[in-house]
Amino acid sequence: DGLGLTRYFDAIIISSNIGYLKPRAEIFRAALSALRVRPRDALHIGDSRDDDVRGARAVGMRALQVIHGGPYGEDGRPDVIYHFRDLPRLIARAPKGLYT
């Protein structure tokens, strides 16, 4: 709220309110439930390979890792983005199920 970003989100899940931290499945399931989205229809984006990517995939979500300040798409890994500006291009060219 203090940053004025709340209006951009349909749901905000706070681990201390749920009682679990990532990569526990419960926090991902709480987000899916709040958004009324099936795991296979969700894409989780986070900066931790263990907490975000593995946690999301464990409940059946697609996942991308953001590596802040890295090279601009140099290594060609299909499950990594270095800048959020890469996201639309990456999703548009990806075959269905690439991030599962």
Side-chain angles (χ1 to χ4, degrees):
D1 286 337
L3 296 174
L5 299 175
T6 305
R7 64 187 170 157
Y8 296 108
F9 297 92
D10 293 325
I12 296 174
I13 307 302
I14 300 170
S15 60
S16 61
N17 293 345
I18 301 298
Y20 297 98
L21 298 173
K22 295 181 288 183
R24 291 287 299 263
E26 291 87 351
I27 196 157
F28 293 97
R29 289 188 185 123
L32 293 166
S33 177
L35 294 168
R36 297 181 182 173
V37 175
R38 295 178 299 192
R40 69 176 186 225
D41 295 329
L43 172 62
H44 180 82
I45 301 169
D47 59 3
S48 169
R49 183 62 118 192
D50 290 328
D51 293 343
D52 293 307
V53 174
R54 289 189 182 126
R57 288 179 178 169
V59 298
M61 298 170 70
R62 296 174 297 150
L64 286 173
Q65 182 182 7
V66 177
I67 299 176
H68 302 286
Y72 187 73
E74 284 181 13
D75 68 4
R77 288 177 52 190
D79 62 344
V80 171
I81 59 173
Y82 295 102
H83 304 280
F84 282 110
R85 67 178 174 250
D86 292 338
L87 189 57
R89 174 187 49 78
L90 188 63
I91 291 173
R93 73 171 194 215
K96 185 173 176 82
L98 176 63
Y99 305 110
T100 58

